[in-house]
Amino acid sequence: MCGRTACTLNADDISKSSRYRDKSGKEKDPEWKLNKDKYNPSYNKAPQSYCPILINEKHLSDNVKVENNRVIVGMRWGLVPNWFTGENVNKMSFSMNNARSDTMLEKRSYNIPLRKGQRCVVLADGFYEWNTTKDGKQPYYIYFPQDLTKTAETASENVETDKKLLTMAGIFEKTFHDGEDLYSFTIITVDSHPQFSWLHHRMPAMLVNDDEIRDWLDHENIPLAKAVELIAPKDCLAWHSVSKFVNNSRNNGPQHYQCIQHEAVAKKKNEGKAMMKWLSGGATKSKTESSKPATPQVKRKASKPMDNWVKKTNRYSTAGKAKS
């Protein structure tokens, strides 16, 4: 299954990170065509949010001469069938966030858009999965292994655009709702590869190279029967445990980097912060105490009974002198 993703690049960098070669061999950055303004970068994307989706440009035009270019469309996560007539799509069940590969050709909601060639590629930095342990559910962040061989000479100026994005096979639908076209999608899932099955029994259907992406999107030249051969478990992922901070879907802003941070690193940093805070507090206290002025030594006064006795003695002594 796939119920939470991270997609942190801004819209323009997503386009650069999705660069591909067209049929002539020329490099191209897919152009954003729709809903660029509805996409917001996030370390914790949940269903109903807008995500960047690759589709064939022919789906957006009636012109048969349009090239098989890849374009990006911001789409709502959670497929909305084209026959949906409800007033509020947000009240729909979350059951269409993922489409099982073994039943997607049987279910009307998925079969119809697939027959129309509405195949798409879902882009993300990574996704999250939870492993059940004796201590509860442990979250993991899953992603494509990154190319660590790039040097300062070979890497682009913006290192973020060198990030290898996940490319997951999906199905999209267009529904006219609330006075406008609503584009929505679902992620296709398959039985997990044996290398991943310890974490979860399902995984997204990954498209691992540019040829697979091209064939999945080329609905005119690659028939559905051939395209579905790409939908299979693949050993192509890396992962690490993360803190349970990600469990709260409200921690979903571009500032919530700790969602993807390795649990051990996050724990070490938190311990370091706690130690620094403790040391800072101790130093402040010592400084405050040492800056206090010394308490002056005050001469102890005689007790009141002693004062009275001295006064009385002096009075008697003065009276005797006066008589004599």
Side-chain angles (χ1 to χ4, degrees), residues 58-125:
K58 286 181 177 290
H59 288 297
L60 303 178
S61 174
D62 295 327
N63 186 350
V64 295
K65 294 184 179 181
V66 170
E67 295 292 330
N68 282 322
N69 289 325
R70 302 175 194 177
V71 294
I72 303 176
V73 174
M75 293 192 190
R76 181 186 182 277
W77 187 1
L79 189 139
V80 180
N82 64 356
W83 63 83
F84 176 77
T85 57
E87 295 182 358
N88 189 351
V89 294
N90 293 328
K91 291 183 178 180
M92 285 186 61
S93 168
F94 290 164
S95 60
M96 293 196 212
N97 301 330
N98 295 160
R100 292 179 62 96
S101 61
D102 49 331
T103 60
M104 65 183 183
L105 294 177
E106 301 170 5
K107 293 188 175 182
R108 183 184 176 205
S109 299
Y110 305 136
N111 179 285
I112 291 177
L114 280 172
R115 297 296 177 190
K116 292 189 293 184
Q118 291 173 190
R119 311 192 299 246
C120 66
V121 177
V122 182
L123 303 173
D125 297 11

Side-chain angles (χ1 to χ4, degrees), residues 4-8 41-46 128 130 243-260:
R4 209 82 67 77
T5 67
C7 196
T8 64
S42 172
Y43 283 99
N44 200 349
K45 275 193 170 293
Y128 300 98
W130 282 257
S243 77
K244 293 181 180 179
F245 180 80
V246 73
N247 291 0
N248 188 344
S249 61
R250 293 181 181 178
N251 297 329
N252 60 3
Q255 75 276 20
H256 293 132
Y257 177 79
Q258 57 266 56
C259 284
I260 68 169

Side-chain angles (χ1 to χ4, degrees), residues 40-218:
N40 293 307
S42 172
Y43 283 99
N44 200 349
K45 275 193 170 293
Q48 298 185 5
S49 61
Y50 274 76
C51 304
I53 308 297
L54 282 176
I55 63 172
N56 190 316
E57 188 174 14
K58 286 181 177 290
H59 288 297
L60 303 178
S61 174
D62 295 327
N63 186 350
V64 295
K65 294 184 179 181
V66 170
E67 295 292 330
N68 282 322
N69 289 325
R70 302 175 194 177
V71 294
I72 303 176
V73 174
M75 293 192 190
R76 181 186 182 277
W77 187 1
L79 189 139
V80 180
N82 64 356
W83 63 83
F84 176 77
T85 57
E87 295 182 358
N88 189 351
V89 294
N90 293 328
K91 291 183 178 180
M92 285 186 61
S93 168
F94 290 164
S95 60
M96 293 196 212
N97 301 330
N98 295 160
R100 292 179 62 96
S101 61
D102 49 331
T103 60
M104 65 183 183
L105 294 177
E106 301 170 5
K107 293 188 175 182
R108 183 184 176 205
S109 299
Y110 305 136
N111 179 285
I112 291 177
L114 280 172
R115 297 296 177 190
K116 292 189 293 184
Q118 291 173 190
R119 311 192 299 246
C120 66
V121 177
V122 182
L123 303 173
D125 297 11
F127 70 98
Y128 300 98
E129 201 54 79
W130 282 257
N131 182 40
T132 302
T133 70
K134 62 180 181 179
D135 298 321
K137 290 188 175 182
Q138 172 62 54
Y140 283 80
Y141 178 58
I142 302 106
Y143 46 91
F144 275 158
Q146 300 298 302
D147 183 1
L148 303 178
T149 63
K150 292 187 177 181
T151 64
E153 290 75 23
T154 60
S156 64
E157 293 182 2
N158 185 354
V159 293
E160 286 297 310
T161 62
D162 293 325
K163 186 181 293 184
K164 187 177 181 181
L165 297 177
L166 282 183
T167 43
M168 300 174 280
I171 307 166
F172 78 92
E173 184 60 283
K174 182 177 78 169
T175 308
F176 190 76
H177 176 73
D178 200 21
E180 63 179 2
D181 287 332
L182 172 66
Y183 284 84
S184 60
F185 73 94
T186 186
I187 298 172
I188 300 173
T189 66
V190 296
D191 288 333
S192 285
H193 186 277
Q195 294 295 324
F196 187 76
S197 60
W198 69 272
L199 179 53
H200 201 277
H201 65 283
R202 303 287 296 178
M203 65 181 289
M206 296 295 174
L207 303 170
V208 298
N209 55 49
D210 202 64
D211 289 340
E212 291 190 353
I213 294 172
R214 183 193 63 241
D215 288 351
W216 181 249
L217 294 179
D218 190 1

